[in-house]
Each structure stands twice: as structure tokens, then as C-alpha cells.
Amino acid sequence: MSAPSIREALAGDLEAIIHLHEEDELGSHGDVWSAETQPAYEAAFEAIQRSPDNRLFVAVDGDEIVGTFQLTFIPNLTGRGTTRVKVESVKVRAVRRSGGIGAQMIAFAEDFARTHGAAAMELTSNKSRKDAHRFYERLGFARSHEGFKKKL
Amino acid sequence: MSAPSIREALAGDLEAIIHLHEEDELGSHGDVWSAETQPAYEAAFEAIQRSPDNRLFVAVDGDEIVGTFQLTFIPNLTGRGTTRVKVESVKVRAVRRSGGIGAQMIAFAEDFARTHGAAAMELTSNKSRKDAHRFYERLGFARSHEGFKKKL
């Protein structure tokens, strides 16, 4: 149970990353790794890799992927042209939760965002994830906005 | 008071776009067009133009810019690799509000997002903007998430 290291995700990490999505307690997104779903995940992974504005990370402990998150850099006019970073798809292996990995990932994300020119960070979290809300508030995030979603 | 047309923003629209930001009733972002701030806005505008994932739009009535919004395409693994679009910096000229321009812009945004491969749309809105929340719910958005922000 050492502190994991954080690095950018490689194609070989994809199945392990999707297994972290499978563990998600809400499970409303239907994420599962199978022969049927694999091509769509591979295409999305390649789209993330291709995008200059997106970075996908994993937290690794030994040989095991124990966490993941994605950063999206968004150039924007608001706030006199402040680049902001959106944190997306933050997942920690179920058996490793409450062990500091999430806080380590967010601290890494903030440092990475700042180093790469961002001055603000944002994220949304489903209203049912009360523990996550307390977690982000503890890390200095303000719960200032309502988050809206629509399927197209 | 005809229906405006919607098109991608050009460099010559930038001052008018920032004037829409200046009218924002919250005003917490300190947005103002001046000799001092102009270079930062120009740099941000160029960053948006350069990014393959970002598109900045204006609603134009005759010679007048009456609205603006930005779309950010986000490749993502969640939901079996669903590309989502974040709508950002939605502004309508104060004297033209409640005239259907906002709804026209969001309908345009949904169509543009769908046509360009996105299957979900999302946005956040400051908790104090009660009218905006009703507006988005009327347009079929679910207020399902808490939105967190942090300055870096």
C-alpha cells in the first residue's frame, strides 16, 4: 500500500482503466469491457491521445492501475482570457478508496494544470455522490454551480 | 427584432463579444474591454481558433452581435466512449433577453454537436442564476450534478 505514481495513460492501460469505470457505484453509464465494447473504447482513447487539449492519467501502484482521471484544457474568453482545466472521469479502485489516492491525483492535476498555463480548475459530480462533494470541498473547491446534462 | 443568424466568430467580432461579457449581471470575472485587457482577449481568441476541439459562435442581427457561446468537444471514455460537448460562456445582449435568442443558440449548439459526433451535452451555471436554471430545464437539460470550481 505504497503511494502510487501518476503518469499519462498508455494504450496498454485501457482495459484496466475501463475496469475502474465498471466499479463505479452509480453504474448509469453502462461501462463494461467486452469484445463488443472494446472498439468504441479504443476509438475514444485514440481521440483523447490525438487531442492537444486532453490528457488521460493513471495512478499506478507496482503493476496495478489504482486510479485514473482526465484533464481537458479549455481556452476561454471569460476572466480576461483565463485558460481553465476540467477534471473528468475521476476513478479510484474500490478497495483502495479513502486511502489518499484521490487527493494525490487532484493535487497532481492542479500542479499539472498550473504548470501548463491554466488559472482555474473545474469539475462536476453527480448530486448523489455526497462523499465526493465533501472530498472536493475539503480540497478547496467551491460548490458554486449547478451542473446540467442532456443526451443528444 | 428579426431572428438572428448564428455563425462562427471572427477576429473582428471580439470587442463586441467582450461587451456581452461586460453586461453579465454577476460581473465577478472582471471582464472589460480596454487597451490593457485587449491583448489577453486576443491571445485567448487565437487559442480557441487554434484548438480543434473548440468553436466560438456569435448570433448576429443585422450588423449587431446579440449573443455568443462556446462549444468544447471532449473525447471521453465514460459511456462507452461518448464524445460530449460542453457549452460555455452563453451570453445574450441585455436588451434582447427573453426574446428567444438563448433558446435559438442552444438549439443550434445541440444540432452542431450532434452533427459533429457528440452524444451528450453539458454545462454549468452559477447557483445564483435561477432564471438560467429554469431556462435549461425547459430545454430538456437535467440538473443532475454539482459544479465545483477552484482558482489555481
Side-chain angles (χ1 to χ4, degrees):
Chain A
M1 295 281 188
S2 53
S5 59
I6 296 172
R7 62 162 170 79
E8 291 207 45
L10 305 170
D13 303 324
L14 185 55
E15 180 172 352
I17 293 170
I18 301 306
H19 287 319
L20 297 181
H21 284 254
E22 288 176 4
E23 286 189 338
D24 191 311
E25 69 270 23
L26 287 181
S28 58
H29 299 293
D31 284 302
V32 58
W33 180 265
S34 71
E36 184 204 343
T37 62
Q38 188 175 340
Y41 288 124
E42 287 170 348
F45 184 85
E46 284 159 23
I48 295 168
Q49 301 293 94
R50 230 179 7 247
S51 165
D53 296 331
N54 283 275
R55 304 288 189 99
L56 183 66
F57 293 91
V58 286
V60 186
D61 190 357
D63 291 338
E64 190 186 20
I65 306 283
V66 294
T68 183
F69 59 99
Q70 178 178 341
L71 301 184
T72 303
F73 284 75
I74 304 180
N76 187 252
L77 296 174
T78 303
R80 304 190 177 188
T82 298
T83 296
R84 56 187 70 185
V85 164
K86 184 174 193 288
V87 192
E88 187 60 56
S89 303
V90 180
K91 312 282 177 194
V92 173
R93 258 210 85 180
V95 295
R96 295 294 295 270
R97 284 182 200 151
S98 308
I101 295 173
Q104 185 191 344
M105 294 198 305
I106 297 299
F108 181 100
E110 289 182 16
D111 189 55
F112 189 93
R114 206 184 287 110
T115 307
H116 291 77
M121 178 162 270
E122 61 180 59
L123 59 93
T124 67
S125 176
N126 191 289
K127 281 183 185 283
S128 68
R129 299 190 198 266
K130 306 293 186 196
D131 289 351
H133 304 163
R134 281 189 290 272
F135 168 75
Y136 290 118
E137 287 180 322
R138 225 165 37 233
L139 297 180
F141 285 81
R143 194 195 307 199
S144 55
H145 284 61
E146 297 287 342
F148 293 84
K149 310 262 179 181
K150 183 176 183 176
K151 290 195 174 152
L152 297 179
Chain B
M1 293 283 187
S2 52
S5 59
I6 295 173
R7 61 163 171 78
E8 292 207 46
L10 306 170
D13 302 324
L14 185 54
E15 180 172 353
I17 293 170
I18 301 306
H19 287 319
L20 297 180
H21 284 253
E22 288 176 5
E23 286 189 338
D24 191 311
E25 68 271 22
L26 287 182
S28 60
H29 298 294
D31 283 303
V32 58
W33 180 264
S34 70
E36 183 204 343
T37 61
Q38 188 176 339
Y41 288 124
E42 286 171 349
F45 183 86
E46 284 159 23
I48 294 168
Q49 301 294 95
R50 228 174 14 243
S51 165
D53 296 331
N54 284 274
R55 303 288 188 100
L56 183 65
F57 293 91
V58 286
V60 185
D61 189 356
D63 290 339
E64 191 187 19
I65 306 284
V66 295
T68 184
F69 60 98
Q70 179 178 341
L71 301 184
T72 304
F73 284 76
I74 304 179
N76 187 251
L77 297 173
T78 302
R80 303 191 177 187
T82 297
T83 296
R84 57 187 70 185
V85 164
K86 184 174 192 288
V87 191
E88 186 61 56
S89 304
V90 180
K91 311 283 179 195
V92 173
R93 257 210 85 180
V95 296
R96 298 292 297 269
R97 282 180 201 151
S98 307
I101 295 173
Q104 186 192 344
M105 294 197 307
I106 297 300
F108 181 99
E110 289 182 16
D111 189 56
F112 189 93
R114 204 184 287 111
T115 306
H116 290 77
M121 178 161 269
E122 62 180 57
L123 60 94
T124 68
S125 177
N126 190 289
K127 282 183 185 280
S128 68
R129 299 190 199 266
K130 305 294 185 194
D131 289 350
H133 305 163
R134 281 189 289 272
F135 168 76
Y136 289 118
E137 286 179 324
R138 224 164 38 231
L139 296 180
F141 285 80
R143 194 195 308 200
S144 54
H145 284 61
E146 299 286 342
F148 293 84
K149 309 263 178 180
K150 184 176 183 177
K151 289 197 174 153
L152 298 179

